[in-house]
Amino acid sequence: MARKLGVGIVGCGNISTTYFRFAPLFKGIEVRSCADINPAAAKARAAEYGVRAESVDALLGADDIDIVVNLTIPSVHYDISRRALDAGKHVYSEKPFVLSVKDGLDLARRAARKDLRIGSAPDTFLGGAHQLVRRLIDEGRLGEITGGTCHVMGRGMEHWHPNPDFFFQPGAGPVLDIGPYYITNLVQLLGPVKSVAALSATPRKQRVIANGPRNGEKVPVDTPTTIHALLEFAGGAVVTLGASWDVWDHRHAPMELYGEAGTVYIPDPNFFGGDVRYTKGAQEVKNLPAWNHPFGVPNQRHSHGMMANYRTAGLSDMALAIQSGRPHRCSMELALHVVEVMTSILKSGETGRFVAMRTTCERPAPLGPKEAKALLAKKG
């Protein structure tokens, strides 16, 4: 039986509740401490979930903390992860891992010097729906994948978020904020990206907050909010990605992949579950039968009903991988490659030129039902 590695959470905003709530579902991890730039926020979370609140320095120096979970805003991801690694702690970061390849490579060197692991969200690609698609591809039921489309489009965060400012600043926008879910899933299904090209636009230079205490307040927009990109994969597939916060409505599927033998329609990679639709050749499109995968089972109420939510699965997988010596699935190499893809899309949008990738990665190992079940703690 693997021991539980102590987890310290830095950043006690909204996303932290997900980690506090779901960590007990999994083997290998135990949240013991939390910290935040706002001590009151850390104290509130600590009281709510029965852990201790402390300063960032105290958390990084604590003997019972093995892994630091970095839930700070993207602009300080690098700094907190650097400090954690220098303190001798493994790091698991929320997305995006970092905002530049340079910073990611620096963290990789620091980790290597101390034999530490780095992992990063998203881990939704480990969900039952996306692993079912992975099995279809690995079994050759789609034939060679030649192309695909992805669309993540909406009207913008200012319509529901009370403090949407950071979403419209460099380091966010639809590519860096939502893109990690889509691009990470594409890489785990198809392998690494070879080159990208993009067109980008910023139709509105300011947004108006439409809810909460700041209702009616204007916030500036300093990053593109509409991006159309082409991704050329090393394996030969070419995928179109549309990412926008300037769309009221659309009828595009979240993700489609086109193979020589068939087409698969993939549910939103922001979530673990959903229906996978598939057609072989010219046959009628049908939902694939439900797969007996633990991470496809609905376990949380959502605005549209029940949904499957198993976030922290990637953290658990990393903790168990550290103890067994195997690679973890939400790896630094995967996260860094996805960061380069996203930042290169933005660069191409600025320059109008194709950008070749300098990083690469292996596809993470699949997570079938047996492997997923092995991550779950026994009930009772």
Side-chain angles (χ1 to χ4, degrees), residues 101 105 192-193 333 336-338 340-341 356-361:
V101 173
L105 291 174
V193 175
E333 292 80 9
L336 183 61
H337 184 60
V338 170
E340 185 182 23
V341 172
M357 299 301 100
R358 295 172 293 163
T359 66
T360 188
C361 66

Side-chain angles (χ1 to χ4, degrees), residues 3-56:
R3 72 180 180 90
K4 291 183 179 180
L5 298 187
V7 172
I9 292 177
V10 178
C12 294
N14 290 337
I15 187 61
S16 69
T17 60
T18 298
Y19 285 82
F20 281 115
R21 178 180 176 185
F22 288 104
L25 294 179
F26 295 95
K27 295 178 181 176
I29 53 175
E30 181 178 71
V31 180
R32 296 172 180 165
S33 175
C34 66
D36 193 276
I37 191 172
N38 177 6
K43 289 180 180 178
R45 288 285 184 255
E48 184 178 3
Y49 291 99
V51 302
R52 67 179 187 269
E54 53 194 344
S55 69
V56 173

